[in-house]
Amino acid sequence: MFGNLFEEDYSSVSENQYGKGKKLKTKALEPPAPREFTNLSGIRNQGGTCYLNSLLQTLHFTPEFREALFSLGPEELGSLEDKDKPDAKVRIIPLQLQRLFAQLLLLDQEAASTIDLTDSFGWSSDEEMRQHDVQELNRILFSALETSLVGTSGHDLIDRLYHGTIVNQIVCKECMNVSEKQEDFLDLTVAVKNVSGLEDALRNMYVEEEVFDCDNLYHCGTCDRLVEAAKSAKLRKLPPFLTVSLLRFNFDFVKCERYKETSCYTFPLQINLKPFCEQSELEDLEYIYDLFSVIIHRGGCYGGHYHVYIKDVDHLGNWQFQEEKSKTDVNLKALQNEESDDPVMVLQTILLQEENNQIPLDQLGQKLLKKTGITWNKKYRKQHGPLRKFLQLHPQVFLLSSDESTVSLPKSHPVWAESDLPRNHAQIVRTLASEPPGLTENATCPHWFDINDSRVHPIREQDITQQFQGKESAYMLFYRKSKLQRPSEARANPRHRVPSHLLKEMDAANTQLQMRRAECDSANSSFELHLHLGPHYRFFNGALHPMFSQTESVWNLTFDKRKTLGDLRQSIFQLLEFWEGDMVLSVAKRVPAGLHVYHTLDGDELTLCEAEIADGEDIFVWNGVEVGGVQIQTGSECEPLLFHVLRLETSGEGATREQWVESSHVFAANAEMGALFRVLAVPAGAILLNSAETADEEHWTAIPKDDLTKTLREQGLRDGSVILVQGLDSDDSSLLPKQAIRTSSAKETSWLHVRNLCQLDPEEKQVQIPAALNTVVFDIRIKAIEELKLMKELAENSCLRPIDRTGKLLRPVPDRCTLEEAEVKLGSSLGLCPGKAPTSSQLFLFFALGTDIEPGAEMEVIVEETASVRDCLKIMLEKAGQPGDMWHLRKMDWCYEPGEPLCEEDATLKELMISSGDTLLLIEGKLPPPGSLKVPIWWYQPPGLSGHWEHRGHPTCTTSQCTTWGGTPSQGAPGPKPTEVSLLYLGSVEISEEASLMELKAQAMALPSATELTLRSTALLRAWTVENKRLGRLLRTDRQQLKEYKLGQRAGICLEPLPKEESLSPQDVLLRTQLRIPGERAYTLPVDLVWDTTRGWTAGSLRQRVANFYSLPVEKIEIAKYFPEKFEWLPISSWNQQVSKRKKKKNQDTLQGGPYYLKDGDTIGVKNVLVDDEEDLSTISHDTGKGNQEQLAVGKKKSREVLRTQRSDMLSSAGTPTRPRGPEASLSIHVGSFR
C-alpha cells in the first residue's frame, strides 16, 4: 500500500550477456537529495507518521520552543553516545528532538528522518505504520517531554509555553454565593458541529451562561436547598502559545457510525481573546494572538492524511513562487528565439541568477541546456570553439578559478547601457541583476509554507481560507502572542542559538554529504560500454559472429556520459593502437541470430546522453562499410530473424518413406516470403505459419500466393516463429503433420490431474496430462479419454470441471478456451464428467431448496442466459420435483447467505447479471407484486393487563407460531422467575405500500388467528415494528401511508391491545415504568407512562413526570433505565444531564444521546428513597440472566479458540503462512524515570 517506506540498500547488478567479457556493476545507495528552492527541509514518512511529521514541524517553527530545548546542554541531558551504558542517565527523547531540529535547520537534505526519534519513543515498525490522531499525540508528546525533563532547568518548558487555566463559576441567585473550580489546559478543545467558527465556539464556551431554573435547579451548599443559579466559564491565564483542537469527528447515534464534520468553520489570522478572559485590565497586546500553524486532515474518520500550513516567523526559507521563479526562465527561453548569437550575453544572464554569481564549470553547460533548451556544442561550438576555451578568451567578463573548476562574474562586471542592447536583452539584465530570488518581497509580508511530509512549497496567506471546510480541512490551530518579537539576529539565520556541538555535527554531516554526492555524481555519470571490434568478427548465416573468444572480441570501457562522442572516439583510438583508417562507431544489439548493427553515431559534439546511449550499450567499432570483405546491411528493417523450418523429406532406398525434418534458418526481416522457396531449393508450393508460442496444430495457417511478395516483418513473423514449407508434389493429406508438432519449451510445459467421474468402476481413476497455459481444453479432454481408456463416444458427451479444495465440482470449462482463458491453474485437478459443457450463450447454475444448504444438497442446471427469471424458476422446480408455483428465487451473496429476491420475473438472467457458477436459492412463498408488501403480523400481550380484555379460546403457542421475547420491558417482575412475554404469530398480510396503517390493522384483524381474540376496533390497537424478535419503532399515526414508514421487505408488525384509545403526538414518548418493591429484589408489573418532551429530553423533566405519576416528591425518587440485553440498570441523574438555556445554541446533551439512548418502549425503574435505601437495583432474575450470559460468552470464546486452532493446523499443513491480527493498540510514548 505504502510502497518503499524505508531506505534500504538495494544493489542493482546487471546480467552478463557476453560471458567473461562483461563486468558486474553495482549501483551504490544514493545520498539524500539536497533541499529544493524553498531551502526548507521536510520529514520523511515512515508509512503512517504524517501526523507526527506535522506536529514536529509545528514545534520546529515555534522558535521559543526550539531554542528553549537547545538551551539544555549535555551536562543536563547526557549524551547519546552514553545511552547504552548501564548507569548513565541519558534523556534520549529531548536529545533526539534537538538533533532532529538541528537537521531541519542546517543539514542540506530534502527531508529528515524520524527513525531515531520514534525508536526513542519505544515504537516498533508496526507502530510507525499505524496512523493515530495528532491531537492525542500532542498531549502524549508533551507529557513525555515533561517526564523526560524532570530535574533539569527545562522542567517547566511545556508549562511555561503552553499552560493556561480556565475558571468555572456557579453563582447562586439567592445568596450570590460563588462556587469556583479552576482547570488547567495545554490545548483548548472546541466544537465544530452547529458552530460557524472559532470565535462563535469561544463565545458559547466563555461568554454565554448556563441557567439552572424550573425543573433543573442547582443545590446551593450555603442555602442547603435547590435554587436558581447561573454557570459560566472564563479564561483566567493565557499561555504564550495557544493550541486549539477542533472536534471534527462525531458519532451518529441513528446510523451508529462515526463521521467527520466537514461544514464551514472559519478561524481568524489574528484573534483578540479579551472578551473571553476573566481579567480585562491588561494591555490589549496581552490578549491578541497571531495564527502561525494549521494542521490539516484530508480524508474521513477511518483514515486519511495530515499536512501542515506553517508561518515562517524567522524567514528561514525562500518564499518564492514557481510562477515568479519561472519569469526568468521564460525570459531566457526568449533568448533562443532572438536572432542575436552573442554567447557572452547568454552566459552572463545565467551567472547573474546564481548565488554569488558563481557556478561549477561542469554545470554551466547543463544550466544552459536546462534554461534555453539548446546545448553549447549545437549552438556555439562551431563558431566560438569549446566552452572552456571561450571563457578563457573573455577574462574581462568571466573569471575562472585557479584550477578552472568554477566560473564567476567579477565583482565589478561590466554593465552595458540599455541603448546598446536589444530591448528584450535589456529587460533580462535588469531582471537578473536585481535582488536575489526571495528578497524582492516585502519584508513584513508573512511567509507561509505547506509542508507535506518531504515536500515543501510556499503558499499565500489567503490560501488558508481553503481549509475552512470539506474533507480536507483544518484540524488543529496554533496561535502565538502578537507581542512576542524575534531578535534581528535570528532573521534568516538558521544557526541562531544552535549549540556548538550540534553545529559541528551538522557541518561535518554536510561535508560528508557533499563528498557522497560528488562520489555518487561521478558514479552515476559514468557507465559501461561494450566495444565489439570489427576485425575480430566475421559475417555468416545472416549475422555477425566473433572469430575468437568472447573475451578477445568484446572490450569493456567505463566512460563519462557527460563527455562527447568525439571524446569517446579519441579514447578508443588510444586503446586500439593498431587501428588504421577511418573509425565508425555504431550501436549494435545481440539477437538470436548473432550481432546486428542498427545505426551509426554521428555528431562528435554531442554528449553521450544527447546521443541517447544507455548504460551497457553495445558499440560496434568498424570502418562503416564491410566486415571481413562482406558488405554489411544496417538498420532495424534488415534485422536478422531466426526461424524454425519444417519440411517433409523422403528417406530410404526406395525413397518411399517420408518424415518431417526441422532446421533453423536466418532471414533478413525485409526479405520476401517467396525467397524461402529459393533458399530451401523448393521450386514452388505452400507456406504455413505457426507461432512459436502455440502448441496446437489447429493454428496452422497457409499464406496466400498474393502475400508471398510481402516481407517477413509485414507478415508478422518474429524470432522463434515456426514455418512449414510444403512442395507441390506432396500429397494433400500430408499437408499437416500427422503427429502434433509441439514447440513449447520445457519451462512452459506442466501438467494437470484429470479424475474419471464418468464410470463407477473404471480401469484408470486418475491420469496426469501434460499441458501449458495456452493449451486448449478440448485437447486435454480428448487426451484424458484416451489415457483413461474410456469409450470414444464420451468425446461428444463429456466435459471437464475444476475440483476445489473441498472436493466440490465447479462449473464446466468450455472446450474452445485455453487454460489461461478458463483461469485454470497448472497443477490443479479436473473432473471428467458426463454431459456437454455450456455454450457461450448458456449459463451453468447451482441451486438449492431453502436457506439451510447442506454439503452435497446443491443441484445443477444449464439454462440460456436470455431465459427469464420465471422460466428459470420453472426449470429448477421441475428438476427438484417440487409442485406448485408458490416459490421465488434469491441469489446467494458473497458470504453464502440469501440475498435480495429476484423480483423482476420477466427480466432475463443476463439483465440481472447472473453469471455461470452462481448459486440460486428456491424459497417457498410467492413474492408480492411490485408496490406491495408482505407483512408478518405478531400479537403482543402485556403482562398483568389481561384483565382488561376477554380472550376466547386463546390458541396454544407452538414452536413455529410463538416465540419468547426475552428482552421485553417486563423483565424483573415480581417473583423468583422473570415474567416472559410471548409474541404470537398471527399470519401474513399482503397490502399495498399506498395503504394506511389503519388499513393494515383492519386486515390483520381479519386473519383467522385474530378471530380468536376479542377486538372491538382498530383504534384500540397499538402498532410496533418487530426487529430481531424485539419491539422496535412505535408507529403512531393511523392515517399515515405504509411507504412513509419505510418498513422494507423483511419488516414485521406487532399489535398490542389498548384499554382505551390513545393519541400520541410526535413529542410524546411511551415508557414502561416499574416501581421497586421495598425490602424485596423485585418490581411491580409495568405500567405505561406518556412523557411529553416538548420542553426537552432532560433528566429533570423525566424525573418530574415520574414523580407526578406516582405522586411522590421529585427529590425523593431515583429512576434508572433497564438494558435487557445486559440485564443491567443505569441510574438517570439530573446532575450528569444538566441543560443550558442559551440564547443562540440548543444543548445537544439529552437522554436521546449516550449513555441512555432513550426511546419508545424502554423500561424505567422507579425507587422511593423514603422507604427503600437499597443501592442495588437488580433482581434475582437479573443475576441469573447475567450468569447465563457469562457462561455463554465463555463457551463462545472456547469455540472460537478451537476453531482458530483448527484453521491454524489446516493452514500450516497446507503450507500457507498466517499472520495473526493483533488488537487495536493505543498511542503511547515510553519514557524512563529521571526522578
Side-chain angles (χ1 to χ4, degrees):
M1 174 189 277
F2 297 99
N4 293 331
L5 301 173
F6 310 101
E7 280 191 296
E8 297 182 9
D9 187 5
Y10 294 109
S11 298
S12 173
V13 181
S14 304
E15 294 183 1
N16 186 356
Q17 302 180 37
Y18 305 104
K20 299 178 181 179
K22 171 103 174 175
K23 299 177 183 177
L24 294 179
K25 182 179 178 181
T26 302
K27 185 178 180 180
L29 182 66
E30 293 187 1
R35 302 191 181 203
E36 295 185 348
F37 70 96
T38 60
N39 199 33
L40 294 178
S41 176
I43 300 178
R44 282 192 290 277
N45 193 329
Q46 296 188 48
T49 57
C50 57
Y51 69 102
L52 172 66
N53 297 349
S54 300
L55 182 60
L56 290 175
Q57 290 284 14
T58 299
L59 296 177
H60 167 241
F61 280 94
T62 308
E64 291 78 5
F65 177 88
R66 183 182 69 226
E67 292 170 3
L69 195 64
F70 279 152
S71 66
L72 303 175
E75 63 279 359
E76 291 188 278
L77 302 180
S79 175
L80 289 174
E81 287 74 14
D82 300 332
K83 64 179 180 180
D84 295 328
K85 295 181 179 179
D87 299 331
K89 278 195 173 184
V90 180
R91 305 171 194 265
I92 302 178
I93 294 178
L95 287 171
Q96 292 292 2
L97 267 180
Q98 281 186 346
R99 175 176 285 181
L100 176 64
F101 288 166
Q103 291 175 351
L104 293 174
L105 286 170
L106 300 171
L107 198 57
D108 183 22
Q109 58 181 358
E110 182 184 29
S113 172
T114 56
I115 293 178
D116 292 337
L117 179 64
T118 53
D119 286 347
S120 70
F121 291 168
W123 291 0
S124 62
S125 58
D126 291 339
E127 189 67 40
E128 293 156 356
M129 294 285 291
R130 186 185 296 117
Q131 190 181 97
H132 290 281
D133 185 77
V134 69
Q135 297 175 2
E136 179 188 13
L137 173 69
N138 184 57
R139 301 184 184 102
I140 293 175
L141 180 58
F142 279 4
S143 175
L145 278 175
E146 285 183 319
T147 305
S148 298
L149 297 178
V150 168
T152 69
S153 59
H155 66 279
D156 60 344
L157 186 151
I158 303 298
D159 187 75
R160 188 171 68 248
L161 297 180
Y162 296 95
H163 176 260
T165 57
I166 301 171
V167 57
N168 295 290
Q169 295 179 341
I170 300 180
V171 181
C172 175
K173 294 293 184 67
E174 300 289 337
C175 64
M176 303 307 293
N177 178 61
V178 179
S179 175
E180 185 175 290
K181 180 181 179 181
Q182 182 172 297
E183 297 178 4
D184 300 325
F185 72 86
L186 295 178
D187 65 297
L188 294 179
T189 302
V190 298
V192 174
K193 186 177 181 182
N194 298 329
V195 181
S196 63
L198 176 61
E199 292 171 311
D200 187 21
L202 294 176
R203 189 176 298 107
N204 291 336
M205 296 170 63
Y206 303 117
V207 175
E208 296 180 359
E209 293 183 340
E210 295 183 8
V211 180
F212 301 141
D213 60 1
C214 299
D215 56 350
N216 186 33
L217 299 175
Y218 167 71
H219 185 272
C220 176
T222 303
C223 301
D224 195 20
R225 61 189 177 90
L226 295 175
V227 296
E228 293 185 356
K231 180 182 178 182
S232 63
K234 292 288 184 181
L235 296 171
R236 172 166 286 180
K237 176 196 169 187
L238 294 175
F241 296 90
L242 179 66
T243 304
V244 181
S245 299
L246 308 183
L247 290 177
R248 288 223 175 250
F249 299 120
N250 289 311
F251 189 83
D252 189 333
F253 293 105
V254 177
K255 298 181 180 179
C256 292
E257 63 182 15
R258 295 178 65 200
Y259 70 97
K260 181 179 179 180
E261 189 65 50
T262 58
S263 58
C264 183
Y265 189 89
T266 62
F267 47 89
L269 296 174
Q270 189 176 78
I271 188 171
N272 188 350
L273 298 180
K274 190 173 184 178
F276 316 120
C277 292
E278 180 185 29
Q279 300 176 357
S280 58
E281 63 274 8
L282 301 177
E283 297 179 3
D284 289 344
L285 280 178
E286 293 290 339
Y287 304 102
I288 297 178
Y289 283 75
D290 293 327
L291 183 71
F292 77 96
S293 177
V294 182
I295 293 183
I296 299 158
H297 180 265
R298 181 177 70 245
C301 56
Y302 297 106
H305 179 68
Y306 289 95
H307 63 109
V308 61
Y309 285 179
I310 283 183
K311 181 180 178 180
D312 183 10
V313 179
D314 284 342
H315 288 203
L316 300 175
N318 178 20
W319 191 66
Q320 183 187 12
F321 291 90
Q322 289 285 17
E323 59 267 22
E324 296 171 359
K325 183 174 182 290
S326 62
K327 285 179 182 177
T328 302
D329 299 345
V330 173
N331 290 332
L332 285 173
K333 282 286 185 181
L335 284 175
Q336 184 179 350
N337 301 324
E338 291 286 334
E339 294 182 356
S340 174
D341 291 330
D342 186 2
V344 175
M345 171 63 68
V346 177
L347 296 177
Q348 188 180 23
T349 51
I350 293 175
L351 286 169
L352 281 171
Q353 65 176 339
E354 295 296 323
E355 186 177 359
N356 299 325
N357 299 337
Q358 181 176 341
I359 189 175
L361 184 59
D362 58 352
Q363 295 182 17
L364 182 58
Q366 299 176 16
K367 288 283 184 180
L368 178 65
L369 175 63
K370 182 178 179 182
K371 300 299 182 183
T372 66
I374 190 169
T375 63
W376 174 270
N377 291 334
K378 280 188 177 181
K379 182 73 175 178
Y380 304 108
R381 182 184 177 103
K382 188 174 182 180
Q383 181 179 355
H384 301 283
L387 178 59
R388 186 187 301 271
K389 184 178 180 180
F390 177 81
L391 296 174
Q392 293 171 347
L393 294 175
H394 295 79
Q396 72 280 9
V397 182
F398 306 107
L399 182 63
L400 287 170
S401 61
S402 58
D403 57 354
E404 295 188 350
S405 61
T406 61
V407 59
S408 61
L409 295 175
K411 293 184 179 180
S412 57
H413 61 273
V415 180
W416 293 275
E418 293 187 12
S419 59
D420 298 335
L421 297 173
R423 185 165 56 90
N424 189 40
H425 288 195
Q427 181 182 355
I428 296 171
V429 172
R430 284 200 308 271
T431 302
L432 298 180
S434 59
E435 296 181 14
L439 299 180
T440 58
E441 297 289 341
N442 189 347
T444 61
C445 183
H447 293 186
W448 283 86
F449 293 90
D450 179 10
I451 305 182
N452 191 346
D453 289 336
S454 301
R455 300 186 300 275
V456 183
H457 67 270
I459 60 172
R460 291 185 172 87
E461 198 170 49
Q462 57 265 31
D463 294 337
I464 299 174
T465 59
Q466 299 174 4
Q467 308 303 331
F468 284 168
Q469 62 186 350
K471 288 192 174 181
E472 182 175 5
S473 50
Y475 190 57
M476 285 189 77
L477 309 175
F478 297 85
Y479 287 88
R480 55 183 290 127
K481 279 192 174 182
S482 297
K483 71 170 189 176
L484 294 175
Q485 298 296 325
R486 297 292 296 152
S488 58
E489 59 269 18
R491 189 177 185 85
N493 181 14
R495 302 176 74 88
H496 180 66
R497 297 285 182 88
V498 180
S500 58
H501 69 282
L502 286 176
L503 288 175
K504 293 179 181 178
E505 182 180 344
M506 294 302 110
D507 291 342
N510 278 326
T511 303
Q512 186 68 23
L513 272 177
Q514 291 176 4
M515 293 175 58
R516 288 179 57 195
R517 286 182 184 134
E519 294 172 358
C520 184
D521 185 55
S522 175
N524 291 338
S525 297
S526 61
F527 51 33
E528 199 169 74
L529 302 176
H530 307 295
L531 305 180
H532 299 263
L533 308 181
H536 294 178
Y537 274 78
R538 59 175 177 166
F539 184 86
F540 71 93
N541 198 17
L544 293 167
H545 297 272
M547 293 188 296
F548 311 107
S549 66
Q550 200 75 22
T551 305
E552 298 180 20
S553 302
V554 182
W555 289 21
N556 296 312
L557 175 65
T558 302
F559 201 74
D560 192 335
K561 63 183 178 183
R562 295 169 295 185
K563 293 187 177 181
T564 64
L565 289 175
D567 298 332
L568 175 61
R569 194 186 314 277
Q570 188 65 32
S571 299
I572 297 176
F573 263 122
Q574 295 175 1
L575 287 174
L576 307 178
E577 299 177 354
F578 60 86
W579 193 272
E580 296 180 359
D582 295 335
M583 176 183 288
V584 175
L585 305 181
S586 300
V587 175
K589 181 182 177 182
R590 295 284 292 185
V591 293
L595 187 71
H596 180 65
V597 178
Y598 283 86
H599 65 272
T600 299
L601 297 172
D602 296 322
D604 283 357
E605 74 281 359
L606 295 177
T607 64
L608 269 62
C609 290
E610 294 169 349
E612 298 180 351
I613 297 178
D615 187 16
E617 194 81 76
D618 294 296
I619 304 296
F620 192 65
V621 185
W622 60 317
N623 58 14
V625 179
E626 50 82 24
V627 173
V630 180
Q631 189 171 354
I632 304 299
Q633 290 184 327
T634 63
S636 58
E637 64 278 358
C638 58
E639 178 183 337
L641 301 178
L642 178 64
F643 298 147
H644 301 286
V645 179
L646 293 172
R647 298 177 59 192
L648 190 64
E649 295 184 355
T650 58
S651 61
E653 296 178 358
T656 57
R657 183 179 177 185
E658 295 181 342
Q659 63 178 2
W660 288 98
V661 177
E662 178 178 350
S663 59
S664 297
H665 294 268
V666 178
F667 298 91
N670 56 358
E672 294 182 355
M673 293 293 299
L676 271 65
F677 293 113
R678 182 177 66 257
V679 173
L680 299 175
V682 178
I687 299 177
L688 294 93
L689 303 181
N690 189 17
S691 173
E693 298 177 355
T694 302
D696 191 353
E697 63 273 13
E698 290 183 352
H699 289 279
W700 288 98
T701 57
I703 303 298
K705 292 183 178 180
D706 295 341
D707 290 347
L708 293 179
T709 56
K710 290 184 178 180
T711 65
L712 302 180
R713 182 64 54 81
E714 291 173 345
Q715 199 62 43
L717 294 177
R718 59 186 184 274
D719 282 310
S721 294
V722 181
I723 300 174
L724 187 146
V725 179
Q726 182 76 40
L728 291 177
D729 53 348
S730 300
D731 188 8
D732 292 341
S733 62
S734 62
L735 188 62
L736 294 178
K738 292 186 173 56
Q739 295 181 350
I741 302 172
R742 306 285 181 180
T743 57
S744 299
S745 65
K747 293 183 179 179
E748 295 174 342
T749 305
S750 189
W751 48 266
L752 289 170
H753 285 303
V754 179
R755 300 180 188 177
N756 181 9
L757 302 179
C758 292
Q759 296 181 5
L760 296 177
D761 297 320
E763 298 181 9
E764 299 288 342
K765 294 185 178 181
Q766 179 173 300
V767 292
Q768 182 171 299
I769 305 297
L773 287 176
N774 53 13
T775 306
V776 180
V777 174
F778 174 79
D779 293 346
I780 297 175
R781 186 166 65 86
I782 298 302
K783 186 70 174 177
I785 292 174
E786 293 176 357
E787 297 196 11
L788 288 171
K789 303 176 182 178
L790 299 176
M791 297 180 296
K792 294 183 179 180
E793 290 78 4
L794 285 175
E796 300 295 329
N797 190 28
S798 62
C799 62
L800 291 177
R801 298 178 60 179
I803 304 174
D804 66 6
R805 295 181 179 179
T806 63
K808 177 183 176 181
L809 286 172
L810 305 181
R811 62 183 176 90
V813 289
D815 279 347
R816 68 186 181 281
C817 296
T818 64
L819 295 181
E820 186 174 14
E821 293 169 346
E823 298 181 356
V824 176
K825 296 182 178 180
L826 296 175
S828 60
S829 296
L830 299 175
L832 181 64
C833 305
K836 292 183 178 181
T839 63
S840 59
S841 62
Q842 292 178 327
L843 299 177
F844 182 91
L845 301 176
F846 297 97
F847 70 97
L849 294 174
T851 57
D852 297 328
I853 304 176
E854 298 181 0
E858 291 181 344
M859 292 171 277
E860 303 160 356
V861 66
I862 296 178
V863 296
E864 295 291 333
E865 63 180 3
T866 55
S868 65
V869 174
R870 182 182 289 105
D871 296 338
C872 180
L873 176 61
K874 185 177 179 180
I875 294 172
M876 290 180 175
L877 286 174
E878 290 178 356
K879 188 157 187 177
Q882 296 294 331
D885 57 353
M886 302 299 292
W887 297 83
H888 68 274
L889 288 176
R890 291 178 185 264
K891 182 180 177 181
M892 184 177 288
D893 60 17
W894 63 273
C895 53
Y896 300 99
E897 293 183 356
E900 291 296 322
L902 305 182
C903 300
E904 302 178 26
E905 293 187 343
D906 294 328
T908 65
L909 299 178
K910 184 177 182 180
E911 291 172 347
L912 296 179
M913 302 180 69
I914 304 296
S915 55
S916 285
D918 286 347
T919 301
L920 300 182
L921 301 178
L922 288 169
I923 308 297
E924 193 169 5
K926 193 170 181 64
L927 289 173
S932 298
L933 295 173
K934 188 173 183 180
V935 184
I937 304 297
W938 299 79
W939 179 261
Y940 166 49
Q941 180 67 53
L945 300 180
S946 59
H948 294 287
W949 300 275
E950 294 181 1
H951 296 260
R952 297 178 303 170
H954 194 287
T956 304
C957 291
T958 64
T959 304
S960 61
Q961 291 178 322
C962 191
T963 179
T964 298
W965 182 42
T968 62
S970 61
Q971 280 283 8
K977 295 182 180 179
T979 303
E980 293 184 349
V981 176
S982 296
L983 292 181
L984 177 66
Y985 179 68
L986 299 181
S988 296
V989 171
E990 286 193 17
I991 191 169
S992 171
E993 291 182 335
E994 305 291 334
S996 64
L997 179 62
M998 182 184 297
E999 293 172 330
L1000 175 65
K1001 292 180 180 179
Q1003 290 195 30
M1005 291 174 61
L1007 290 171
S1009 302
T1011 58
E1012 303 294 332
L1013 305 171
T1014 303
L1015 301 174
R1016 296 187 295 273
S1017 171
T1018 58
L1020 296 178
L1021 290 177
R1022 181 186 290 157
W1024 303 78
T1025 61
V1026 178
E1027 300 170 1
N1028 297 324
K1029 298 182 181 180
R1030 297 178 183 271
L1031 297 187
R1033 289 184 293 145
L1034 177 62
L1035 309 182
R1036 300 170 184 271
T1037 308
D1038 279 350
R1039 299 188 181 278
Q1040 190 169 337
Q1041 291 182 335
L1042 297 179
K1043 66 179 181 180
E1044 298 177 7
Y1045 286 113
K1046 299 180 180 179
L1047 298 178
Q1049 291 287 342
R1050 302 184 183 182
I1053 298 296
C1054 180
L1055 300 178
E1056 176 187 357
L1058 296 174
K1060 60 181 181 180
E1061 293 186 18
E1062 69 176 6
S1063 178
L1064 298 178
S1065 69
Q1067 289 77 30
D1068 290 338
V1069 180
L1070 179 67
L1071 301 173
R1072 319 278 192 183
T1073 59
Q1074 292 182 267
L1075 186 64
R1076 185 173 174 84
I1077 302 175
E1080 300 182 24
R1081 297 184 63 192
Y1083 290 84
T1084 62
L1085 292 174
V1087 181
D1088 289 351
L1089 177 144
V1090 178
W1091 172 37
D1092 183 7
T1093 61
T1094 305
R1095 301 189 61 185
W1097 287 67
T1098 65
S1101 174
L1102 178 59
R1103 285 170 56 85
Q1104 189 66 53
R1105 177 70 183 92
V1106 173
N1108 295 341
F1109 184 79
Y1110 284 100
S1111 301
L1112 293 171
V1114 67
E1115 65 271 11
K1116 299 302 180 182
I1117 66 169
E1118 289 184 4
I1119 59 176
K1121 180 191 170 181
Y1122 180 61
F1123 290 86
E1125 64 277 0
K1126 299 180 181 178
F1127 298 96
E1128 291 180 353
W1129 292 91
L1130 180 61
I1132 300 176
S1133 171
S1134 297
W1135 315 116
N1136 55 20
Q1137 286 288 330
Q1138 295 173 351
V1139 176
S1140 63
K1141 295 186 177 179
R1142 294 174 175 165
K1143 299 176 183 178
K1144 297 183 180 179
K1145 179 173 179 288
K1146 186 177 179 181
N1147 193 3
Q1148 302 298 318
D1149 295 333
T1150 68
L1151 294 179
Q1152 282 183 299
Y1156 302 105
Y1157 308 110
L1158 205 63
K1159 64 182 185 303
D1160 291 310
D1162 282 346
T1163 299
I1164 301 296
V1166 185
K1167 184 174 71 170
N1168 184 355
V1169 297
L1170 293 173
V1171 295
D1172 191 354
D1173 57 354
E1174 285 287 337
E1175 295 184 0
D1176 185 16
L1177 298 174
S1178 65
T1179 65
I1180 297 175
S1181 62
H1182 299 158
D1183 296 341
T1184 305
K1186 223 172 209 181
N1188 293 337
Q1189 271 191 344
E1190 292 176 356
Q1191 292 179 3
L1192 185 62
V1194 171
K1196 287 182 177 180
K1197 183 178 180 181
K1198 290 182 178 179
S1199 300
R1200 285 195 300 267
E1201 290 176 353
V1202 171
L1203 184 60
R1204 190 182 298 113
T1205 303
Q1206 292 175 350
R1207 288 178 178 175
S1208 177
D1209 294 342
M1210 291 173 60
L1211 291 172
S1212 60
S1213 62
T1216 305
T1218 60
R1219 181 180 179 181
R1221 182 177 180 181
E1224 200 170 314
S1226 60
L1227 180 64
S1228 62
I1229 296 178
H1230 305 284
V1231 188
S1233 176
F1234 300 102
R1235 298 186 183 277

